[in-house]
């Protein structure tokens, strides 16, 4: 009985090791395929510096070779890579009313990303260097798409007005 148990564990360990190698190979293949179509090699995507400017209204991302991107806090918030915004695997949520949102904090996540904290207390988005670069390269088309989506659902970039305070002020 003991001999069979060891053999089962050995077989299970071999299966796990084989599966791990398969996953690692597939991941490496996907990364190579993705970046072989990109104009910027992945090592150059890491920013030289990230500066939070104008009291958190935007960030400036500087790369080697004098390339930079400027991304507003609103743009980063509505394009957050968090599961809350991306839709937990379902239809992505359209975030609205964030025109005046500010960045109140930023933390490095390992050597591959940054986590931004916004004044609306959203703090679950982890922005990889590749994702920030993609946002910077496509910010105008992404913003046009966002504005079109807002229009189609009848929402605005402006925060909702507090109707209770408005009613008190008018009486």
């Amino acid at each position: 009985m003991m001999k069979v148990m060891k053999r089962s564990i050995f077989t299970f360990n071999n299966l796990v090791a084989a599966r791990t190698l398969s996953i690692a190979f597939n991941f490496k293949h996907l990364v190579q395929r993705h970046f072989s179509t990109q104009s910027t090699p992945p090592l150059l995507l890491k920013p030289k510096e990230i500066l939070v400017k104008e009291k958190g209204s935007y960030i400036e991302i500087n790369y080697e070779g004098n390339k930079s991107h400027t991304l507003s806090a609103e743009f980063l918030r509505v394009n957050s890579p968090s599961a809350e915004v991306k839709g937990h695997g379902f239809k992505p949520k359209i975030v609205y009313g964030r025109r005046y949102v500010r960045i109140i904090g930023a933390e490095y996540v390992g050597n591959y990303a940054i986590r931004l904290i916004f004044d609306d207390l959203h703090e679950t988005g982890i922005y990889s260097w590749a994702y920030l670069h993609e946002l910077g390269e496509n910010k105008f088309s992404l913003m046009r798409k966002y504005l079109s989506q807002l229009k189609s659902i009848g929402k605005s970039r402006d925060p909702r007005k507090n109707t209770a305070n408005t009613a008190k002020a008018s009486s």
Side-chain angles (χ1 to χ4, degrees):
M1 185 76 168
M2 196 65 158
K3 195 172 186 179
V4 173
M5 184 85 71
K6 284 184 181 178
R7 184 170 171 87
S8 297
I9 291 171
F10 178 75
T11 305
F12 176 75
N13 286 340
N14 284 346
L15 180 64
V16 170
R19 186 167 174 89
T20 303
L21 286 173
S22 173
I23 290 169
F25 173 77
N26 288 337
F27 178 74
K28 183 179 176 184
H29 177 69
L30 286 173
V31 169
Q32 287 173 342
R33 190 175 67 196
H34 173 74
F35 286 113
S36 68
T37 62
Q38 303 297 313
S39 59
T40 306
L43 296 177
L44 298 179
L45 296 178
K46 184 177 181 188
K48 182 170 61 173
E49 65 181 352
I50 298 176
L51 305 169
V52 178
K53 300 270 196 140
E54 295 295 320
K55 299 180 182 176
S57 64
Y58 68 93
I59 64 171
E60 182 180 296
I61 306 167
N62 296 310
Y63 299 93
E64 295 294 332
N66 295 328
K67 184 171 179 118
S68 67
H69 292 127
T70 302
L71 304 172
S72 73
E74 176 193 15
F75 179 74
L76 290 163
R77 174 63 178 91
V78 301
N79 287 291
S80 172
S82 70
E84 173 196 342
V85 174
K86 294 297 180 190
H88 297 284
F90 301 104
K91 185 177 180 183
K93 178 181 175 183
I94 299 172
V95 179
Y96 56 90
R98 299 297 191 269
R99 182 188 296 261
Y100 305 112
V101 73
R102 298 277 191 237
I103 298 166
I104 59 172
E107 302 171 350
Y108 282 103
V109 177
N111 198 26
Y112 72 95
I114 191 166
R115 182 170 70 99
L116 298 175
I117 303 164
F118 297 89
D119 64 2
D120 66 353
L121 303 182
H122 177 73
E123 59 182 16
T124 58
I126 296 176
Y127 298 79
S128 70
W129 306 142
Y131 186 62
L132 283 172
H133 189 267
E134 180 184 327
L135 289 176
E137 291 293 307
N138 301 300
K139 69 180 177 181
F140 296 112
S141 62
L142 289 169
M143 193 62 174
R144 279 192 299 273
K145 180 180 175 186
Y146 170 65
L147 294 174
S148 173
Q149 289 172 329
L150 283 181
K151 188 175 181 179
S152 71
I153 62 170
K155 299 293 183 182
S156 169
R157 294 171 59 199
D158 294 319
R160 290 186 297 203
K161 293 183 175 124
N162 188 341
T163 54
N165 289 340
T166 307
K168 286 180 184 178
S170 63
S171 56

